[in-house]
Amino acid sequence: MATASVAFKSREDHRKQIELEEARKAGLAPAEVDEDGKEINPHIPQYMSSAPWYLNSEKPSLKHQRKWKSDPNYTKSWYDRGAKIFQAEKYRKGACQNCGAMTHNAKACMDRPRKVGAQYTNKNIAPDEKIESFELDYDGKRDRWNGYDPSTYHRVIDLYEAKEDARKKYLKEQQLKKLEEKNNNEKGDEATSDGEEEEDDLRVDEAKVDESRQMDFAKVEKRVRTTGGGSTGTVRNLRIREDTAKYLLNLDVNSAHYDPKTRSMREDPLPDADPNDKFYLGDNQYRNSGQALEFKQLNIHSWEAFDKGQDMHMQAAPSQAELLYKSFQVAKEKLKSQTKDTIMDKYGNAATEDEIPMELLLGQSERQVEYDRAGRIIKGQEVILPKSKYEEDVHANNHTSVWGSYWKDHQWGYKCCQQIIRNSYCTGSAGIEAAEAALDLMKANIARKEASEDSPKKVEEKRMASWGTDIPEDLELNEEALANALKKEDLSRREEKDERKRKYNVKYNNDVTPEEMEAYRMKRVHHEDPMRDFLG
């Protein structure tokens, strides 16, 4: 049944296999045995007992249902608490400055801070701790009892046994004292009658009966086939049957109403009786006091929150409802305190203004203060601050103040040199003066630049000469020669447009007059001119 290699079987072999399985289930045939010689339960289904094909298992086995892939690197061991590996006799370089151990530094030292560390005394060197590291598997990381030693539980047992022995011893002493007092009273009153002795015996028997009933108060009984349903569970006798039922406290018809179906009596049955003598005050007393009132407020909050659109339900998610109710109370108290603070900041608080110190009210103090002849305090007024094991007042790069002691233009810096660059070297007062001088110089340069920009120089318009140089002021153009040059320029441009009008014999003259250059400049096509297409 548990074989994994399923070969081809004929119809007869298959029928025999089914008959064998039925016989094994009925107990008529011996059960199948695996590789280790253990019997395999014939009622295990085939899809669980048959091994996968890739395991190539030839014999019946259930190993494929177990964790057969185990990582050898994982371990189940735990730290050896309190183990020491080496005890040094003198201080070693790099060890803890406080206790002298090599396995930690002074900041992580768990020993009491010494007045003079082991680095200087070279005495009482602490041993090195055993440092271990384990690679735990998934279950080992989440095992809350991993590393627990069960043998240490005997300490808890011894503690409870010691308490029980002490209680028994105390009760025995009390009984002996009572017997001694009784014997002393019997010697003085020997003329007691036999009737009184019988009454004492009856009282003792009644006390024993009462003790037995009180012992049964915390008795736990099992319900077996009761009308309440179910065959398991516990029932605790929560009420001593000697107590008077609440519906019998007041037999007046017009007294508090008792509902036998719900066994509830909301009002007080004895309203005129002494409250110190009453055992029962009505169900409303319990509903409006203690945790019942808190539960009522929690229900009201959940109803109101649900009506306002909050997705919460007291019965469906009680933990969520309680958490939201707590956050609501915190926010409410915060709002109250904020409103109170705003009112006090606006109008003031006369109760806390000008508070008289306790020294003036009592006229004396336990603090010892020393004064000089002028009445100035010499000793006793200063407050001694405890030193921390972390480094304090350590200034780097010649600074005399810490980083963050100076603030300017939304930037932190050093107060000693007013530098805003961290880990910079301190320049002291000279650096402050140099920075101020550089700032003044920069302000002066900015003012000078602004003044120069306010009065710009007039740019002289230069007329370019016809041949590319500056035109002299005394240059004068001939109007007739300029008109002839313009006509000549128009004629040459027409010839360029129509090559048929070009003459074969062309004469060139390299001498360019100012009038011709001016005509060329005037007739030149300006490509950046938007009106160039409309020019003739």
Side-chain angles (χ1 to χ4, degrees):
M1 180 179 177
T3 56
S5 60
V6 181
F8 177 74
K9 295 180 181 180
S10 62
R11 182 177 297 177
E12 188 67 21
D13 295 339
H14 186 66
R15 184 181 60 80
K16 290 181 180 180
Q17 181 69 22
I18 293 176
E19 291 179 357
L20 180 60
E21 291 177 1
E22 294 293 338
R24 284 174 178 170
K25 290 180 180 179
L28 302 176
E32 197 174 10
V33 182
D34 60 359
E35 297 176 354
D36 300 332
K38 297 180 180 179
E39 294 182 352
I40 298 175
N41 191 349
H43 297 281
I44 296 177
Q46 186 178 3
Y47 73 89
M48 294 177 62
S49 61
S50 59
W53 59 270
Y54 51 82
L55 294 180
N56 296 326
S57 115
E58 298 178 355
K59 296 182 179 180
S61 176
L62 292 176
K63 284 186 177 180
H64 60 276
Q65 292 290 346
R66 303 185 186 94
K67 188 179 180 182
W68 51 279
K69 281 186 178 181
S70 59
D71 194 344
N73 297 328
Y74 292 146
T75 179
K76 290 187 178 180
S77 56
W78 198 246
Y79 301 99
D80 192 2
R81 297 179 179 175
K84 311 295 181 182
I85 55 176
F86 179 71
Q87 175 67 52
E89 296 180 357
K90 61 180 182 178
Y91 182 78
R92 295 158 291 175
K93 186 178 180 181
C96 177
Q97 299 177 0
N98 184 42
C99 65
M102 285 290 292
T103 51
H104 60 269
N105 53 10
K107 188 178 290 187
C109 185
M110 301 299 294
D111 290 357
R112 180 183 60 84
R114 303 182 184 181
K115 187 175 183 180
V116 182
Q119 180 184 6
Y120 305 102
T121 59
N122 230 353
K123 296 178 181 179
N124 299 328
I125 303 297
D128 299 341
E129 297 93 351
K130 185 178 180 181
I131 306 298
E132 297 176 288
S133 60
F134 301 115
E135 187 176 359
L136 302 175
D137 55 354
Y138 182 85
D139 295 331
K141 291 178 182 178
R142 291 156 180 81
D143 186 8
R144 61 192 294 265
W145 294 103
N146 197 357
Y148 176 72
D149 187 8
S151 61
T152 59
Y153 190 72
H154 70 85
R155 300 175 185 172
V156 181
I157 298 174
D158 295 342
L159 177 63
Y160 279 94
E161 288 180 352
K163 288 182 179 179
E164 187 66 22
D165 294 341
R167 189 182 68 84
K168 290 180 179 180
K169 184 178 179 181
Y170 175 76
L171 292 176
K172 191 173 183 180
E173 291 177 356
Q174 294 295 328
Q175 290 178 358
L176 290 174
K177 287 182 180 179
K178 289 181 179 179
L179 288 174
E180 289 178 359
E181 292 177 358
K182 187 176 181 181
N183 293 332
N184 294 332
N185 293 333
E186 286 180 354
K187 289 180 181 179
D189 301 333
E190 293 180 353
T192 57
S193 61
D194 297 338
E196 291 179 356
E197 291 179 359
E198 291 178 357
E199 289 180 358
D200 292 339
D201 295 338
L202 290 173
R203 290 174 184 173
V204 171
D205 294 337
E206 290 177 357
K208 289 181 180 179
V209 172
D210 292 340
E211 288 178 358
S212 65
R213 289 181 179 177
Q214 290 179 2
M215 288 173 64
D216 292 338
F217 173 73
K219 183 178 180 181
V220 178
E221 299 176 353
K222 285 190 176 182
R223 296 185 292 136
V224 180
R225 296 177 183 175
T226 59
T227 57
S231 59
T232 58
T234 57
V235 172
R236 188 178 296 276
N237 187 7
L238 297 177
R239 185 176 66 85
I240 302 176
R241 298 303 176 185
E242 295 175 357
D243 295 338
T244 306
K246 53 188 174 183
Y247 55 82
L248 297 177
L249 293 175
N250 191 352
L251 299 179
D252 188 4
V253 180
N254 298 325
S255 64
H257 175 69
Y258 175 75
D259 186 9
K261 186 175 181 179
T262 58
R263 298 181 182 178
S264 61
M265 182 181 286
R266 295 189 175 91
E267 298 179 0
D268 188 3
L270 299 173
D272 300 332
D274 187 6
N276 298 324
D277 298 337
K278 289 192 292 185
F279 175 76
Y280 180 73
L281 301 176
D283 293 342
N284 289 337
Q285 179 69 20
Y286 300 121
R287 291 177 181 176
N288 298 327
S289 62
Q291 294 183 347
L293 188 60
E294 298 178 1
F295 186 72
K296 181 180 178 182
Q297 296 293 335
L298 178 59
N299 279 322
I300 294 173
H301 174 263
S302 63
W303 297 336
E304 293 177 352
F306 183 78
D307 292 338
K308 293 179 180 179
Q310 189 75 20
D311 188 11
M312 62 179 296
H313 197 276
M314 183 60 196
Q315 281 71 31
S319 301
Q320 179 189 8
E322 187 173 1
L323 184 62
L324 291 174
Y325 181 61
K326 288 182 179 179
S327 61
F328 168 74
Q329 285 181 329
V330 171
K332 186 177 180 181
E333 293 295 331
K334 187 176 180 181
L335 182 61
K336 283 184 178 179
S337 61
Q338 187 177 0
T339 307
K340 182 179 178 181
D341 294 339
T342 53
I343 294 173
M344 292 175 65
D345 292 340
K346 186 175 182 180
Y347 301 103
N349 188 5
T352 58
E353 290 181 356
D354 300 330
E355 186 177 0
I356 302 174
M358 296 300 295
E359 289 81 5
L360 295 178
L361 291 175
L362 301 177
Q364 60 184 358
S365 174
E366 295 181 358
R367 181 180 294 177
Q368 182 180 358
V369 184
E370 296 181 5
Y371 301 89
D372 58 358
R373 293 184 177 180
R376 293 185 293 268
I377 297 174
I378 301 174
K379 184 180 179 182
Q381 193 69 19
E382 65 276 0
V383 179
I384 300 175
L385 298 175
K387 290 186 177 181
S388 173
K389 65 178 180 179
Y390 298 96
E391 296 179 349
E392 294 181 357
D393 299 332
V394 177
H395 307 294
N397 297 332
N398 202 27
H399 287 285
T400 57
S401 60
V402 296
W403 170 261
S405 58
Y406 179 68
W407 171 263
K408 184 179 180 181
D409 297 336
H410 303 281
Q411 287 181 330
W412 294 105
Y414 296 97
K415 186 179 181 181
C416 54
C417 58
Q418 297 184 1
Q419 293 196 52
I420 58 176
I421 300 174
R422 193 167 189 180
N423 296 328
S424 61
Y425 194 80
C426 183
T427 56
S429 58
I432 298 174
E433 294 175 359
E436 292 177 353
L439 183 62
D440 296 339
L441 182 60
M442 184 177 66
K443 290 181 179 179
N445 292 335
I446 293 173
R448 191 183 303 111
K449 185 177 179 181
E450 291 178 352
S452 62
E453 288 178 354
D454 293 340
S455 59
K457 294 181 179 179
K458 295 183 179 179
V459 180
E460 297 180 355
E461 296 181 357
K462 295 183 178 181
R463 296 178 61 191
M464 302 300 296
S466 57
W467 47 84
T469 58
D470 294 342
I471 300 174
E473 295 180 358
D474 55 352
L475 179 64
E476 294 181 1
L477 297 176
N478 192 358
E479 297 293 337
E480 295 180 1
L482 180 60
N484 295 331
L486 288 172
K487 293 179 181 179
K488 189 177 181 181
E489 185 69 23
D490 292 338
L491 183 61
S492 62
R493 287 183 180 276
R494 290 195 197 98
E495 291 178 355
E496 289 178 1
K497 291 181 181 179
D498 192 0
E499 294 182 355
R500 292 177 300 176
K501 295 182 179 181
R502 183 185 300 177
K503 298 179 180 179
Y504 294 101
N505 298 327
V506 181
K507 293 181 180 180
Y508 291 97
N509 187 8
N510 294 330
D511 296 334
V512 180
T513 61
E515 288 81 3
E516 293 177 351
M517 197 65 191
E518 183 68 18
Y520 169 76
R521 186 183 63 79
M522 293 172 66
K523 293 294 183 181
R524 185 183 57 181
V525 178
H526 299 277
H527 295 281
E528 64 273 8
D529 189 2
M531 303 295 290
R532 66 180 182 272
D533 296 334
F534 300 97
L535 296 176

